[in-house]
Amino acid sequence: MTDLTALKYTAEHEWIALDGDVATVGITSYAADKLGDVVFVELPAVGSAVTAATVVGEIESTKSVGELYAPLTGEVVAVNDAVVDDPGLVNADPFGAGWLVKISVDPAAVDGLLDRDAYISLTGGAE
């Protein structure tokens, strides 16, 4: 199981796991629950440049369509094709098999993101 306290978070309900200079990005279980059953995921192309706080993809559910924001500036080095093929993975395992993209980043940029306590405060105590 993923150590949720080791992750960073954004106000857009994304989590970030940093390994060297590669950030793995997904949406939180809070966001997945709010979206409802995810039925479609559009992700950026591998090799594309992304800028922090800009829209890079889309997550469509039975309730609504949500935008996927880049939490950091960098280059997309991998996308989770399994999620594209089976969008339900976002709901079933948001912190594991439901990851969305991997971005090559400046590791220092992660320091400006939310820690677990700050994220839980943002959601009013929901995880």
Side-chain angles (χ1 to χ4, degrees):
M1 179 168 183
T2 303
D3 178 5
L4 301 182
T5 61
L7 303 176
K8 293 290 192 173
Y9 299 87
T10 70
E12 288 74 32
H13 308 291
E14 297 163 326
W15 58 262
I16 296 92
L18 187 64
D19 183 12
D21 66 349
V22 175
T24 302
V25 179
I27 65 168
T28 65
S29 57
Y30 175 82
D33 288 346
K34 291 292 183 189
L35 280 170
D37 294 333
V38 175
V39 295
F40 176 78
V41 175
E42 179 183 328
L43 300 174
V46 172
S48 60
V50 296
T51 303
T54 61
V55 175
V56 296
E58 189 174 278
I59 301 173
E60 184 176 335
S61 72
T62 54
K63 291 182 181 177
S64 67
V65 177
E67 295 176 322
L68 175 65
Y69 290 87
L72 301 161
T73 297
E75 179 182 334
V76 175
V77 295
V79 297
N80 189 352
D81 291 328
V83 165
V84 174
D85 293 340
D86 181 8
L89 287 173
V90 173
N91 297 107
D93 191 10
F95 293 104
W99 67 273
L100 300 173
V101 296
K102 294 183 184 236
I103 305 170
S104 176
V105 300
D106 174 358
V110 175
D111 293 340
L113 300 176
L114 302 172
D115 64 16
R116 182 84 180 144
D117 289 341
Y119 180 72
I120 290 174
S121 292
L122 178 77
T123 62
E127 298 188 37

